[in-house]
Amino acid sequence: MIFAYNKEHVGDVLMIIAADDKGQENAVERKGNVARVCVAEGNQVVAWNIFEASTIVGNIEGNGQVELTEEQLKKVNEELANVGFSETLVKENNPKMVIGFVKSCKKHPDSDHLSITQTEVDNGEVLQIVCGAPNIKAGQKVVVAKPGAMMPDGLMIWPGVLRGVESFGMICSAGELRLPDAPAKKGILELPFDAVIGEAFPVGK
């Protein structure tokens, strides 16, 4: 579950992304200051919008993807119940932007620039990630945006299929991470080999 807030451009609205709607038509139900967004067919909840958020949860620090305290999440759930929704939101504590290790890398069979990697992201968890960077290779420590991550530009990362091959995340460049002095040359960010697999990677705002 991703929490996002951008008062300057969106207003005092806390946006909560729960799932990928896969481009399907959405249905919105609003009660008071809470709007629930569902896929029209099947009623899967994909997002929540909390209006006048600062009056409900207090000060929200950050711009873009933000972290709520346990107390703030409690206040969100109280607001959902007060206006008549039955759901309870649970915050995931596992980081979505992590240090990974490229265990293997092979050329995509249907592309001259894509590669298929098997990338370890934590405690033996390995994700298949299709990557288009020219400098990707086995043995690298890299930054991985796991499914459910939000990039600094607001892009959400979900599982997908690239040229017929499933991909479960994105291996990031310095520019995509908005790191200072990011090189203009295309390519993923290579981390020092002593970087710890699975450790959260701080993302610029």
Side-chain angles (χ1 to χ4, degrees):
M1 189 169 293
I2 294 292
F3 302 93
Y5 186 75
N6 190 328
K7 189 171 184 179
E8 181 180 354
H9 293 99
V10 181
D12 191 14
V13 181
L14 176 65
M15 295 165 285
I16 304 170
I17 299 97
D20 183 9
D21 66 6
K22 296 181 173 63
Q24 300 176 79
E25 183 179 352
N26 291 333
V28 179
E29 180 181 6
R30 180 164 177 173
K31 297 180 180 181
N33 282 324
V34 180
R36 180 176 63 187
V37 183
C38 298
V39 173
E41 293 186 13
N43 293 323
Q44 179 192 12
V45 178
V46 293
W48 299 85
N49 289 328
I50 312 297
F51 299 93
E52 299 183 27
S54 61
T55 65
I56 295 170
V57 304
N59 182 52
I60 300 173
E61 296 185 2
N63 183 42
Q65 184 174 356
V66 297
E67 292 291 331
L68 295 190
T69 66
E70 293 296 333
E71 182 62 26
Q72 287 177 319
L73 183 60
K74 179 182 177 182
K75 290 179 178 179
V76 169
N77 281 320
E78 288 174 348
E79 185 67 16
L80 264 62
N82 289 339
V83 299
F85 288 111
S86 62
E87 291 90 344
T88 298
L89 306 186
V90 179
K91 183 171 67 171
E92 293 183 33
N93 293 317
N94 295 329
K96 295 295 187 182
M97 197 74 66
V98 301
I99 295 169
F101 175 68
V102 182
K103 299 186 72 173
S104 68
C105 179
K106 64 180 182 180
K107 290 296 183 183
H108 191 296
D110 191 33
S111 172
D112 59 1
H113 71 282
L114 295 176
S115 298
I116 304 170
T117 76
Q118 301 296 324
T119 302
E120 184 177 353
V121 291
D122 191 21
N123 291 323
E125 179 188 2
V126 176
L127 299 178
Q128 177 169 285
I129 301 176
V130 178
C131 180
N135 63 329
I136 187 72
K137 61 185 178 181
Q140 293 171 319
K141 293 284 183 71
V142 295
V143 180
V144 177
K146 297 167 66 176
M150 176 182 280
M151 300 299 293
D153 64 359
L155 174 70
M156 290 295 302
I157 304 300
W158 301 112
V161 178
L162 295 174
R163 294 284 186 93
V165 175
E166 291 184 314
S167 182
F168 299 91
M170 184 172 78
I171 298 175
C172 305
S173 70
E176 289 164 335
L177 296 167
R178 290 191 176 175
L179 298 183
D181 302 319
K185 185 178 178 180
K186 291 184 178 180
I188 54 100
L189 175 67
E190 296 186 57
L191 300 177
F193 198 74
D194 60 358
V196 179
I197 299 170
E199 188 173 282
F201 188 88
V203 180
K205 301 295 184 184

